């Protein structure tokens, strides 16, 4: 244990620590992460896969990365070794959602992805007056196209634009969306028409297309590309390894939102509605 030890009162859900496995149980592993109290990584929190034998994955004395998964009322600390399994509602302090209750659902607000789960992203939203609160953007509300894995669309720490769809003050829950609102009242943003992916399936891999960077993440840039006939627009992912030849340390150092780029299609999944792009020339 480090000295002085980390106070339990200072812990928050989502914090990351480096710890040491102190003991194994059939149901999980006790980890010393420098806190005045050890935490438990349940067997279901070791990996995304099913674990039948905990000793196949960890051993006593092994150093591991852990995240605070939840803080229980009885003082026990639940940890996870899978960042995307961080639980909602484990934080001790409830956000004051009252400043968010009467916001225009058509207006976008600035947010930062705080943590992600299999079903969506928890985003910290900041208003112009400085009020902050966390809400859930369900996986179906991230973009118009189908999202198979949340990690393919968002990364922790990514800055995003969201709309506050609903606020429940009784349960202290806020629901968000990254999608544009449907046209209503003449002032709401127009939502993008459904993507006709068939317009992209016959484009050859050596054909360059004009695109605009729509948003960026730690793992790559999402680029809006128009079909050759100009009738449909779709977002595709330029993975960080496909931005240019050579090692790219940071996506932000190479491209920015709104930047016009030229890309090629190197992969298209019609059923999933996912398109892989590259900014690199054919080798």
């Amino acid at each position: 244990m480090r000295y002085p030890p980390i106070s339990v009162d200072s812990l928050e859900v989502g914090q990351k620590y480096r710890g040491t496995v102190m003991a194994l149980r059939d149901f999980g592993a006790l980890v010393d992460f420098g806190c005045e109290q050890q935490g438990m990584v349940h067997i279901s929190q070791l990996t995304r896969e099913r674990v039948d034998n905990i000793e196949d994955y960890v051993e006593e004395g092994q150093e591991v990365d852990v995240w605070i998964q939840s803080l229980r009322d009885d003082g026990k600390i639940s940890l996870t070794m899978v960042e995307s399994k961080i639980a909602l509602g484990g934080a001790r302090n409830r956000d004051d959602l009252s400043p968010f209750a009467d916001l225009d659902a058509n207006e976008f607000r600035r947010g930062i992805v705080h943590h992600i789960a299999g079903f969506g992203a928890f985003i910290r939203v900041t208003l112009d007056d400085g009020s902050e609160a966390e809400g859930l953007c369900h996986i179906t509300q991230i973009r118009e196209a189908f999202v198979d894995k949340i990690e393919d669309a968002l990364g922790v720490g990514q800055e995003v634009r969201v709309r506050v769809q609903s606020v429940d003050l009784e349960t202290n829950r806020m629901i968000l969306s990254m999608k544009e609102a449907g046209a209503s009242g003449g002032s709401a943003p127009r939502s993008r028409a459904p993507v006709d992916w068939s317009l992209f399936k016959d484009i050859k891999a050596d054909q360059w297309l004009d695109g605009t960077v729509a948003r960026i993440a730690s793992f790559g840039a999402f680029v809006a590309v128009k079909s050759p006939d100009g009738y449909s627009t779709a977002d595709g992912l330029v993975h960080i390894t496909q931005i240019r030849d050579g090692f790219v340390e940071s996506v932000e150092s190479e491209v920015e939102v709104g930047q016009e780029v030229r890309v090629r299609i190197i992969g298209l999944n019609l059923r999933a509605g996912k398109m892989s792009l590259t900014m690199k020339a054919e080798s």
Side-chain angles (χ1 to χ4, degrees):
M1 179 186 299
R2 73 177 69 180
Y3 186 83
I6 300 168
S7 169
V8 173
D9 292 334
S10 68
L11 298 179
E12 293 184 7
V13 170
Q15 289 176 331
K16 180 181 178 181
Y17 293 97
R18 187 72 172 171
T20 302
V21 177
M22 304 303 293
L24 297 181
R25 304 287 187 267
D26 291 339
F27 53 85
L30 282 170
V31 175
D32 178 0
F33 60 98
C35 182
E36 56 192 8
Q37 180 174 317
Q38 294 180 359
M40 170 62 70
V41 180
H42 189 268
I43 192 170
S44 64
Q45 300 294 327
L46 293 172
T47 176
R48 292 185 179 90
E49 304 170 353
R50 174 183 171 83
V51 177
D52 294 317
N53 184 0
I54 192 171
E55 294 180 352
D56 292 338
Y57 286 82
V58 290
E59 60 184 10
E60 291 184 10
Q62 178 179 342
E63 292 190 354
V64 294
D65 287 328
V66 294
W67 286 263
I68 305 297
Q69 207 267 345
S70 65
L71 300 165
R72 294 169 43 173
D73 292 338
D74 60 6
K76 293 184 178 179
I77 304 167
S78 296
L79 306 174
T80 180
M81 290 169 55
V82 182
E83 186 179 11
S84 60
K85 288 189 175 185
I86 298 171
L88 173 66
R92 297 194 173 181
N93 297 323
R94 290 163 59 94
D95 289 323
D96 178 10
L97 296 182
S98 57
F100 296 81
D102 298 319
L103 296 178
D104 186 342
N106 293 329
E107 293 187 8
F108 280 91
R109 316 283 172 177
R110 185 175 66 87
I112 302 292
V113 178
H114 189 233
H115 51 274
I116 57 178
F119 51 84
F122 299 103
I123 297 173
R124 194 80 184 168
V125 183
T126 303
L127 302 182
D128 292 338
D129 64 4
S131 300
E132 292 187 1
E134 188 170 284
L136 170 64
C137 182
H138 191 267
I139 190 171
T140 59
Q141 292 297 319
I142 292 176
R143 63 184 184 211
E144 295 293 339
F146 174 77
V147 177
D148 184 30
K149 290 178 60 180
I150 194 83
E151 294 89 346
D152 292 339
L154 295 173
V156 173
Q158 179 180 343
E159 184 170 333
V160 295
R161 294 170 68 247
V162 296
R163 294 183 299 106
V164 177
Q165 287 191 306
S166 65
V167 173
D168 189 327
L169 295 177
E170 184 175 344
T171 61
N172 205 55
R173 296 291 179 92
M174 179 166 63
I175 303 301
L176 309 171
S177 175
M178 292 172 58
K179 296 161 64 173
E180 291 187 343
S184 61
S187 60
R190 297 180 60 88
S191 59
R192 180 186 292 177
V195 177
D196 184 357
W197 290 103
S198 64
L199 299 176
F200 295 87
K201 67 182 181 68
D202 294 326
I203 298 177
K204 299 184 181 299
D206 60 357
Q207 181 176 346
W208 289 97
L209 302 171
D210 292 328
T212 302
V213 178
R215 57 191 188 277
I216 58 177
S218 59
F219 50 83
F222 291 93
V223 176
V225 181
K226 282 190 176 182
S227 59
D229 59 14
Y231 285 114
S232 187
T233 300
D235 287 351
L237 172 64
V238 179
H239 192 267
I240 190 171
T241 59
Q242 293 296 325
I243 293 177
R244 63 171 173 81
D245 291 324
F247 176 73
V248 174
E249 182 176 1
S250 169
V251 178
E252 292 87 345
S253 65
E254 302 292 331
V255 295
E256 61 184 15
V257 174
Q259 179 179 340
E260 294 184 356
V261 295
R262 287 174 58 79
V263 296
R264 295 184 298 108
I265 298 175
I266 55 175
L268 181 62
N269 186 329
L270 294 176
R271 176 172 296 184
K274 296 170 66 176
M275 181 165 59
S276 298
L277 306 173
T278 183
M279 293 169 56
K280 297 161 61 174
E282 282 191 296
S283 55

